[in-house]
Amino acid sequence: MSMITLKDIRHSYLPLPVDDIDWALKEMSVEWQDGGAYALLGPSGCGKTTLLNIISGLLQPTEGEVWFGDQNVTDEPADARNIAQVFQFPVVYDTMTVYDNLAFPLRNRGVDEAEVDKRVREIGAMLDLSETLAKRASGLTADGKQKISLGRGLVRENVNVIMFDEPLTVIDPHLKWVLRSKLKELHQRVGATMIYVTHDQTEALTFADQVVVMHDGNVVQVGTPVELFERPQHTFVGHFIGSPGMNVLPCDIDNGKVMFAGQPLQIAGTAGSDVKGRTEIGIRPEFVSFAEDGIPVNIVNSIDVGRFRIVEAHHGDDSIKLLVPEGEGIPADGAHVRFDPAHTRVYIDGWMVGGN
Ligand code: ADP
Ligand code: MG
């Protein structure tokens, strides 16, 4: 097992990439620590599978290098990299038994039968497949097949990394929850580096110690769930993580002064004085509150979500969401809102500035 380093990777599926949009992966360098539990989070089409396939060696990057520990493996084929990859849709040999399916990756590498038997039974038990080991895989439901796929990913020991590409897509919601907790537990037990790909923030945040957030072929932030919540480095992270996501509002920056709704705003850190580009503030609904004065708003909607109400207020064309704790009043007319300065950050062209 070893640390995995991606150095200045770029990838295009086109033979002659020219424009920015020709690159499925924009230039990135990412380190994956040995033994880490990572989630790779981003919407469909942002490049997650491309990135996984570059790590596993199914895909050669157009530019850059892949290192496992102190070895440059960029030119090594997938089967020389000692990794396990679980795909979005189950890869199962229907004519084989569940047992033989699980044993396959081990037998393929010449592991002796006593060891094969031990590992297959262990992994089978962890995934509640013990009862079905002797059955043909063809008789199983989609859930059962995906469990076999997961098992095949987990059955080998001492792999460099186990990668799961949206493995719970075809699984029903309850079992999804069970399997997700199980994977977390398995990570703690086997200690292998795991990369779990998902477009679902809940899945990412419950599984991972470190979340790698992707958007449009870029890695926009790597951080703990708390860091992503508290200090989103990019408006995309703020918006994508959180429920509801961060408010992103256009602002003007005039000589270092941040102006929104014709009023100066206090922010975390400084905005800088020579600002060029699209300027916005980011403030999470958790840190917006009603106040006596501040930004005048109209309340347009309020949804009860248990311990909170999600209130939507408008200032002109700008929509601002707030979380109002249960039991707190919501003003009728003449409402004003206030942003907590410690959590108000400035973004230029999407990227956070001076928000320390
Ligand atoms: P994700 O896994 O996040 O949904 P992908 O890595 O599959 O994203 O895709 C990233 C981008 O690359 C998308 O625009 C997709 O259409 C494109 N792409 C993916 N695979 C191929 C391929 N084999 N040939 C051409 N374009 C591809
Ligand atoms: Mg994908």
Side-chain angles (χ1 to χ4, degrees), residues 303-319:
I303 308 166
D304 197 332
V305 289
R307 290 188 299 121
F308 292 94
R309 265 181 294 175
I310 301 170
V311 177
E312 186 182 358
H314 280 183
H315 174 87
D317 290 337
D318 296 319
S319 161

Side-chain angles (χ1 to χ4, degrees), residues 121-139:
R121 289 184 192 286
E122 232 170 70
I123 294 294
M126 284 180 201
L127 293 169
D128 297 323
L129 287 168
S130 300
E131 305 294 302
T132 55
L133 285 178
K135 291 201 179 121
R136 263 178 207 260
S138 57

Side-chain angles (χ1 to χ4, degrees), residues 20 24-30 32 39-43 46-48 51 210-224 227-229 231-241 246 278 284 347-353:
D20 214 36
L25 292 185
K26 317 284 197 300
E27 191 170 318
M28 61 173 69
S29 294
V30 189
W32 314 81
L40 186 54
L41 174 69
C46 71
K48 303 180 298 296
L51 190 58
Q210 291 281 319
V211 182
V212 177
V213 186
M214 286 188 71
H215 171 52
D216 241 353
N218 287 299
V219 169
V220 284
Q221 188 165 1
V222 182
T224 63
E227 284 164 351
L228 299 178
F229 181 82
R231 298 170 44 75
Q233 297 293 311
H234 193 278
T235 49
F236 175 78
V237 177
H239 197 75
F240 198 63
I241 289 170
M246 184 172 78
R278 178 168 44 90
R284 290 202 175 273
Y347 293 84
I348 297 177
D349 289 332
W351 294 96
M352 188 173 97
V353 284

Side-chain angles (χ1 to χ4, degrees), residues 31 38 40 139 146 156 161 188 227 233 247 273 306 322 324 350:
E31 281 182 359
Y38 291 92
L40 186 54
Q146 190 56 309
R156 284 167 59 210
V161 58
Q188 279 150 3
E227 284 164 351
Q233 297 293 311
N247 294 294
S273 48
L322 327 59
V324 180

Side-chain angles (χ1 to χ4, degrees), residues 35 141 152 164 191 200 212 220 254 289 294 303 306 344 349-350:
T141 59
R152 284 157 49 108
F164 304 92
D200 178 334
V212 177
V220 284
D254 185 10
S289 53
I303 308 166
T344 306
D349 289 332

Side-chain angles (χ1 to χ4, degrees), residues 247-318:
N247 294 294
V248 179
L249 304 162
C251 69
D252 290 314
I253 298 177
D254 185 10
N255 239 327
K257 213 187 263 172
V258 180
M259 302 293 291
F260 176 73
Q263 302 184 18
L265 276 188
Q266 275 192 295
I267 60 160
T270 53
S273 48
D274 185 26
V275 173
K276 294 188 183 66
R278 178 168 44 90
T279 52
E280 290 160 317
I281 50 166
I283 174 83
R284 290 202 175 273
E286 287 81 352
F287 306 118
V288 183
S289 53
F290 287 114
E292 286 301 305
D293 53 14
I295 300 149
V297 292
N298 294 318
I299 294 162
V300 296
N301 197 8
S302 166
I303 308 166
D304 197 332
V305 289
R307 290 188 299 121
F308 292 94
R309 265 181 294 175
I310 301 170
V311 177
E312 186 182 358
H314 280 183
H315 174 87
D317 290 337
D318 296 319

Side-chain angles (χ1 to χ4, degrees), residues 4-7 9 51 54-57 59 61 63-69 71-76 81:
I4 296 172
T5 313
L6 302 177
K7 294 187 187 174
I9 292 287
L51 190 58
I54 285 173
I55 295 174
S56 67
L59 201 60
E63 292 176 7
E65 294 174 354
V66 182
W67 288 69
F68 284 10
Q71 254 191 305
N72 182 347
V73 300
T74 316
D75 297 323
E76 303 264 348
R81 293 193 189 186

